[in-house]
Amino acid sequence: MSGWLAVAGLGPGSDALVTPEVCTALGDATDVIGYAPYVARAGEMTRAVLHPSDNRVEFDRATAALRLAAEGRRVAVVSGGDPGVFAMAAAVFEALEAGPEAWRALDIRVLPGITAMLAAAAALGAPLGHDFCAINLSDNLKPWERIETRLRLAAQAGFAMAFYNPRSASRPYQFARALEILRGELPGTVPVCFARNVSRPDQTLTTVPLAEATGEMADMRTLVIVGTAETRAVGRFLYTPRRAT
Amino acid sequence: MSGWLAVAGLGPGSDALVTPEVCTALGDATDVIGYAPYVARAGEMTRAVLHPSDNRVEFDRATAALRLAAEGRRVAVVSGGDPGVFAMAAAVFEALEAGPEAWRALDIRVLPGITAMLAAAAALGAPLGHDFCAINLSDNLKPWERIETRLRLAAQAGFAMAFYNPRSASRPYQFARALEILRGELPGTVPVCFARNVSRPDQTLTTVPLAEATGEMADMRTLVIVGTAETRAVGRFLYTPRRAT
């Protein structure tokens, strides 16, 4: 059997949110590559050789995966959530472009997964029920000024927003600055939702008005959803109506 | 057993993309409600009573579902894709807000699914690999002027974009106008991808440069993805790099 590479999304955490397509790929794989916590999760669904690696080595990991597939191995590169949303798929194509021409003939597939923002939205109700955007607040790979401009334009456009990687030990201040920018554009009543460990037993959901949101409310494992001026509460749920004025 | 209501996402079409969580809910349901084609799909996974309805009656359908759940039935409201993305979840909360106070105590859950934009992106490579937005181009429920402004701001913000419901028989011209707006803001080389029947045997993917995209290339069943000025092609794939200048 010839080699292949599947970039597989494991969803937000619960096994009940892993697609059958991903389960099949993990079952057929000879090798599983990824950030250590995701490889550990995948390890429960496969008998493949496990290749855990550190965070922030996406390009090297993708190159190693392509090399194995070129040698005839059946390789699953695992991501949390959806591999196409701030995860491993783009890194695999960057490594493909940088690698030998022959790699472009490899059997490469991206297997979608439930991304954190959609799992968090489902747990909250339907805060992304109207037009929305997804922004990675990490400035490791893009200038912070560009993120600021994007936040301003997104708020002016009336998008609901999901923020990935809002804050980390090495970037403690950016999320507070992002909130400041949003407060300059949106009513203070707009809900800001902090979702952690979505779909897991230790899931937590916290919602505060924009006026009361602070930088310390998020960390690297928090998914933040910001509603619009039209987002409403009903019972324990939040939703953004389909109808807009 | 007391009643409940689950708003369940069936994903883009392939059974391999339906989550185990949704399968379990369909198996436990006594009633399945939704737009007829989705109810027909769900019918293969359940022995529940099927309540198919027409398109564009989302609010009435949601009200009927809540009424059944209040009577003690176990009700699955089915959507294609993810119920929180331009689908039934928002309609259920609108109906909940408009209905009797007692309904707010009902056991209501939203079960996420693979939304069309993420399945299409996976099939194309990783065109949404950087910050992106999702816009419903239908002006049935919002003024077209607001959509135009949103498109302009989204392009200026440098978002990759996914368009749901780009064009229908009753709205034949809006998508062509949307392309015109994008051409005023973005280089003509930006890729525009048309995805139909994603994850099904008759899936088609077509990519053209923005300068060559025309309104007729989309219909109501097309999911459109627009890359950014940084989106690249490698082999048969498109991806938007994680690194941005």
Side-chain angles (χ1 to χ4, degrees):
Chain A
M1 199 188 218
S2 58
W4 48 251
L5 189 156
V7 196
L10 297 177
S14 162
D15 289 348
L17 295 178
V18 182
T19 67
E21 181 177 73
V22 165
C23 289
T24 301
L26 290 172
D28 292 344
T30 58
D31 298 81
V32 172
I33 296 188
Y35 178 42
Y38 302 133
V39 170
R41 268 197 72 206
E44 296 164 22
M45 305 179 231
T46 183
R47 287 186 290 180
V49 180
L50 305 181
H51 305 264
S53 52
D54 273 352
N55 208 350
R56 291 216 197 176
V57 292
E58 290 88 353
F59 184 86
D60 296 343
R61 187 192 292 154
T63 303
L66 285 160
R67 192 173 294 126
L68 279 173
E71 289 166 4
R73 310 283 295 178
R74 303 188 297 276
V75 184
V77 175
V78 290
S79 271
D82 181 283
V85 179
F86 311 127
M88 281 302 295
V92 165
F93 294 114
E94 287 164 29
L96 182 66
E97 192 172 3
E101 185 73 26
W103 285 3
R104 301 186 188 193
L106 286 171
D107 176 4
I108 298 173
R109 289 167 299 148
V110 180
L111 312 183
I114 304 288
T115 185
M117 106 184 127
L118 297 184
L124 289 159
L128 305 179
H130 207 294
D131 300 339
F132 65 94
C133 64
I135 301 178
N136 186 346
L137 284 191
S138 166
D139 59 352
N140 289 337
L141 296 170
K142 61 188 165 187
W144 176 252
E145 297 67 38
R146 184 152 163 175
I147 300 177
E148 288 206 0
T149 304
R150 192 163 286 165
L151 287 168
R152 259 186 219 100
L153 291 167
Q156 290 164 11
F159 283 120
M161 305 181 203
F163 298 150
Y164 286 73
N165 306 317
R167 189 162 173 263
S168 75
S170 61
R171 301 178 291 103
Y173 305 116
Q174 282 90 334
F175 178 58
R177 175 71 189 131
L179 290 171
E180 206 175 294
I181 290 167
L182 295 182
R183 277 192 281 264
E185 304 284 345
L186 297 170
T189 50
V190 163
V192 180
C193 315
F194 299 86
R196 291 191 91 238
N197 303 319
V198 172
S199 83
R200 293 182 198 153
D202 52 349
Q203 168 180 305
T204 60
L205 303 172
T206 310
T207 300
V208 300
L210 176 57
E212 294 170 24
T214 64
E216 299 69 42
M217 291 178 177
D219 64 15
M220 201 63 188
R221 298 184 56 202
T222 310
L223 188 287
V224 179
I225 290 183
V226 180
T228 72
E230 289 153 331
T231 303
R232 304 176 63 79
V234 53
R236 65 191 179 283
F237 300 106
L238 277 178
Y239 78 98
T240 305
R242 302 164 300 151
R243 191 175 295 275
T245 47
Chain B
M1 197 188 218
S2 58
W4 48 251
L5 190 156
V7 197
L10 298 177
S14 163
D15 290 347
L17 296 178
V18 181
T19 66
E21 182 177 72
V22 166
C23 290
T24 301
L26 290 173
D28 292 345
T30 57
D31 298 81
V32 172
I33 296 189
Y35 178 42
Y38 302 133
V39 169
R41 268 197 71 206
E44 296 164 21
M45 305 179 232
T46 183
R47 287 186 289 181
V49 181
L50 305 181
H51 305 265
S53 52
D54 272 352
N55 207 351
R56 290 218 198 175
V57 291
E58 289 88 353
F59 185 85
D60 297 341
R61 188 192 292 153
T63 303
L66 285 160
R67 192 172 293 126
L68 280 173
E71 289 167 5
R73 310 282 295 178
R74 303 187 297 277
V75 184
V77 175
V78 289
S79 271
D82 180 282
V85 179
F86 312 126
M88 281 302 295
V92 165
F93 294 114
E94 287 165 29
L96 182 66
E97 192 172 2
E101 184 73 26
W103 285 3
R104 301 187 188 192
L106 286 170
D107 176 3
I108 299 173
R109 289 168 298 148
V110 179
L111 312 183
I114 304 288
T115 185
M117 109 184 125
L118 297 184
L124 289 159
L128 305 178
H130 209 292
D131 299 341
F132 64 95
C133 64
I135 301 179
N136 186 346
L137 284 192
S138 166
D139 59 353
N140 290 336
L141 295 171
K142 61 187 164 188
W144 176 253
E145 298 66 38
R146 183 152 163 175
I147 300 176
E148 289 206 0
T149 304
R150 192 163 285 164
L151 287 167
R152 259 185 218 100
L153 291 167
Q156 288 163 12
F159 282 121
M161 303 182 204
F163 298 150
Y164 286 73
N165 306 317
R167 188 162 173 263
S168 75
S170 61
R171 301 179 289 104
Y173 306 116
Q174 282 90 333
F175 178 59
R177 175 72 190 130
L179 290 171
E180 206 176 294
I181 290 167
L182 295 182
R183 276 192 281 264
E185 303 286 344
L186 297 170
T189 49
V190 163
V192 181
C193 313
F194 299 87
R196 289 191 90 238
N197 302 319
V198 172
S199 83
R200 293 182 197 152
D202 52 350
Q203 167 179 305
T204 60
L205 302 171
T206 309
T207 300
V208 299
L210 176 57
E212 293 169 26
T214 65
E216 299 69 41
M217 291 177 178
D219 65 16
M220 202 62 189
R221 297 183 58 203
T222 310
L223 189 287
V224 179
I225 291 183
V226 180
T228 72
E230 289 153 331
T231 303
R232 304 176 63 79
V234 53
R236 65 191 180 284
F237 300 106
L238 277 177
Y239 77 98
T240 305
R242 301 164 300 151
R243 190 175 295 274
T245 47

